[in-house]
Structure formats: C-alpha cells, structure tokens
C-alpha cells in the first residue's frame, strides 16, 4: 500500500486514476510515498524519509524545494502543457482588452444604472472615450515558444496578426506545432524594436528575472502593449510604472497583481486566473497522478 499525500484539492478525475494499492490522505504527518499539489508552498515542510516523488499539477515548480528533493533523491514532476490552452485563451483576452478599453468601458457602463430613458443618449455621447485599435494586422512578439507560447502564436496568426517568435531553446515538438507564418526571430531585441504587442512565456530563472526593464523599454515602440501571464518576476515593476507614466507602454496586462502595480493607471491585473478552468485542473490532475504512479510502479 502506497500513501499519496495531497497538499491541495486535486480534481477527482485525477485521483480516480489511483487503484486499491494507493491510499489518499491530506494528513501531512503520514509517511507519504508520493505528494501531489498545486500551489501549496513546500519550502518549510519537513520531507518524510518515505517520500519517493512529488508531482505538481501545474507547469511551474517554484513552490517546491527542488534542491532539498534532489539531495534526498526525490523525483519532482510537473505537468507541462496540461493547462496550456487555458492560459492561451486568457492571453488572447489580454490582447483584446489591452486594445479596446473594454474593462474601462464596462466600469463606465455600470454608472448608467438608474439613469432611465437617458441611457441611450449617454451611451452615444460617452462611447467615444473608449475607442481603441484592432489587433488585426498588428505585430505581436511572443517571447518563449513552449507549450503556451506556441498556442498563443498560432491563435494570433489565425486572428490576422503578424507574429514574431523568439526562443533560442525551442524544442523540435514545439517547432512542429508552430505555424509556418510565425517569423522566427534570433535576437529578442528585434521583438522589442518591431512589435506593437509583446507577450512573455518564459520560466522564472536568474537569467529571465526582470528581463522586461528600462533597457528593454528603451528599444520598444511608443505605446507598446505588454502582457505577462508567465511569472511575476519577469517584469521590473518600478521600470514598468515609469514606462506607463511616460506613455512608452500604453497598457500592461498581467496575471500577477502586487502592491506596486495594483491600481496603477493603464495596468489591468487579473488574480492569477491563467490555469483556472475546470478543464485545466482536470488535465493537470490526471497527468500528475499518472506520473506518480508510473514512477512508483516502474
């Protein structure tokens, strides 16, 4: 009998993959053979000697003490690609709301409550303040062509955008899935210089921390729109606030609110909704459980 510890709520369709040889528990005091989690932060957790593998139902593993696990010979899995479509759909939404002032328009429309017969006239008078450009024909730079970046690039091509893709480490599988209409860029600076919209899809590494900063902004077009649905630390918040104030950046859409950028003009923040779909949570759970079982049994 193997004990599987769940540190977050894991979708039932995933846990149903476990047979009678496995006991599921949320008791951290149990000698677990495997751990399945989502966003729970394990860094201060005492790892049981019985632990063989950890599986995160999600793409990143920054909430797992990789070094400590490596020292103890504990294998760590993630579920790359399982939530890719969910994030892609939110990025496409980000492209649209960065252009069409939809969020501001919705807020304004709420103020019409109680205006009675005047609503029609007020709408016709007020709508001009929410004019914005279409994305068709505009240049989108996609930095990082992993599972999510490829889907974003292909979707943007289908929407009529001119797409530039940059990833010095793109895999063969990703390259096969990428539309032939995506322009392969060998120097990320060309994306900074050419694109009207830029979306980042790279992991959080020492080399990528703060990569969207004042030096990058200096190369960009005035009025560029930036999207960050990857990791919070990829963008230097102080430099972003300065770029927004100067008009260098017209809009910043991010899935990672924090005290610095929340409420800043021309910033649209979402509460980390990238993978928050039922389908994504199911896909991640199934993949994570299968990884744990395959490792323990084989």
């Amino acid at each position: 009998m193997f004990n599987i510890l769940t540190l977050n709520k894991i979708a039932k369709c995933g846990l149903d993959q476990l047979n009678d040889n496995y006991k599921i528990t949320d008791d951290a005091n149990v000698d677990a053979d495997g751990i399945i989690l989502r966003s729970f932060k394990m860094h201060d957790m005492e790892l049981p000697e019985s632990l063989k593998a950890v599986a995160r139902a999600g793409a990143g593993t920054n909430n797992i003490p990789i070094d400590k696990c490596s020292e103890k010979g504990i294998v760590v899995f993630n579920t790359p690609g399982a939530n890719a479509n969910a994030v892609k759909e939110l990025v496409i939404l980000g492209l649209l709301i960065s252009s069409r002032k939809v969020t501001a328009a919705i807020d304004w429309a709420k103020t019409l409550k109680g205006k009675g017969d005047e609503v029609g006239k007020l709408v016709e008078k007020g709508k001009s303040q929410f004019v914005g450009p279409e994305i068709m024909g505009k240049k989108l730079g996609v930095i990082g062509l992993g599972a999510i970046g490829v889907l974003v690039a292909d979707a943007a091509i289908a929407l009529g955008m001119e797409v530039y893709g940059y990833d010095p480490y793109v895999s063969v599988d990703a390259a096969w899935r990428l539309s032939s209409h995506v322009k392969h860029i060998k120097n990320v600076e060309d994306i900074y210089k050419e694109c009207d919209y830029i979306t980042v899809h790279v992991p959080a590494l020492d080399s990528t921390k703060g990569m969207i900063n004042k030096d990058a902004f200096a190369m960009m077009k005035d009025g560029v729109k930036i999207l960050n649905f990857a990791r919070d630390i990829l963008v230097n918040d102080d430099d972003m606030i300065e770029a927004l104030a100067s008009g260098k950046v017209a809009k910043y859409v991010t899935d990672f609110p924090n005290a610095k950028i929340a409420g800043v003009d021309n910033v649209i923040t979402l509460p980390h909704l990238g993978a928050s779909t039922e389908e994504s949570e199911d896909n991640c759970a199934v993949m994570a459980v299968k990884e744990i079982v395959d490792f323990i049994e084989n």
Side-chain angles (χ1 to χ4, degrees):
M1 178 71 68
F2 299 104
N3 291 319
I4 302 299
L5 172 63
T6 57
L7 297 176
N8 295 105
K9 184 179 179 181
I10 304 299
K12 183 177 182 297
C13 62
L15 297 179
D16 284 347
Q17 305 293 315
L18 297 170
N19 58 34
D20 292 339
N21 292 325
Y22 296 88
K23 180 181 179 181
I24 303 167
T25 180
D26 59 5
D27 183 356
N29 294 317
V30 168
D31 289 335
D33 296 281
I35 290 176
I36 303 174
L37 74 161
R38 291 167 60 196
S39 58
F40 182 91
K41 290 179 171 56
M42 289 181 59
H43 292 282
D44 295 328
M45 180 179 172
E46 188 67 33
L47 301 179
E49 292 299 323
S50 57
L51 188 61
K52 302 171 179 64
V54 176
R56 186 188 171 220
T61 55
N62 54 305
N63 57 323
I64 300 171
I66 301 295
D67 291 345
K68 190 189 298 185
C69 289
S70 298
E71 290 172 5
K72 292 178 173 290
I74 299 166
V75 175
V76 177
F77 296 101
N78 64 346
T79 57
N83 59 13
N85 186 71
V87 179
K88 175 213 65 177
E89 290 186 359
L90 207 63
V91 173
I92 297 303
L93 171 67
L95 282 172
L96 296 171
I97 62 178
S98 72
S99 287
R100 296 294 297 273
K101 300 183 181 179
V102 173
T103 55
I106 291 172
D107 289 340
W108 179 81
K110 290 177 181 178
T111 69
L112 300 176
K113 184 177 180 179
K115 298 297 177 66
D117 295 339
E118 293 296 308
V119 170
K121 293 180 180 179
L122 290 170
V123 166
E124 291 306 312
K125 182 179 179 181
K127 68 181 183 180
S128 61
Q129 63 188 303
F130 305 112
V131 172
E134 298 178 15
I135 64 173
M136 184 175 182
K138 305 302 189 301
K139 294 178 180 179
L140 169 66
V142 181
I143 302 174
L145 295 169
I148 296 168
V150 166
L151 292 181
V152 169
D154 290 348
I157 288 288
L159 289 170
M161 300 190 79
E162 186 177 341
V163 180
Y164 291 60
Y166 171 79
D167 192 333
Y169 309 108
V170 63
S171 69
V172 173
D173 287 343
W176 275 110
R177 296 194 300 271
L178 193 63
S179 168
S180 60
H181 295 289
V182 175
K183 294 179 172 61
H184 179 215
I185 301 302
K186 295 183 179 180
N187 189 333
V188 71
E189 292 184 2
D190 291 332
I191 282 182
Y192 295 153
K193 295 173 183 176
E194 296 292 331
C195 293
D196 307 295
Y197 302 78
I198 296 173
T199 180
V200 289
H201 299 282
V202 298
L205 305 170
D206 289 341
S207 59
T208 60
K209 183 178 180 180
M211 62 180 288
I212 305 299
N213 55 31
K214 61 182 179 181
D215 294 332
F217 292 134
M219 291 182 262
M220 295 180 191
K221 294 181 175 181
D222 290 342
V224 66
K225 284 95 172 174
I226 307 289
L227 289 78
N228 178 17
F229 288 83
R231 289 290 180 269
D232 54 349
I233 67 170
L234 302 179
V235 175
N236 182 302
D237 291 325
D238 292 327
D239 292 352
M240 173 60 78
I241 291 170
E242 185 177 324
L244 286 160
S246 70
K248 169 61 75 170
V249 176
K251 197 75 71 174
Y252 176 42
V253 186
T254 179
D255 210 18
F256 309 101
N258 61 47
K260 284 188 177 181
I261 62 170
V264 173
D265 287 346
N266 293 316
V267 175
I268 299 174
T269 56
L270 303 175
H272 203 181
L273 296 180
S276 295
T277 67
E278 294 176 0
E279 295 86 349
S280 173
E281 291 179 7
D282 287 353
N283 292 340
C284 289
V286 169
M287 188 172 179
V289 170
K290 286 183 175 181
E291 289 169 336
I292 285 276
V293 170
D294 185 46
F295 181 76
I296 288 176
E297 296 185 359
N298 299 313

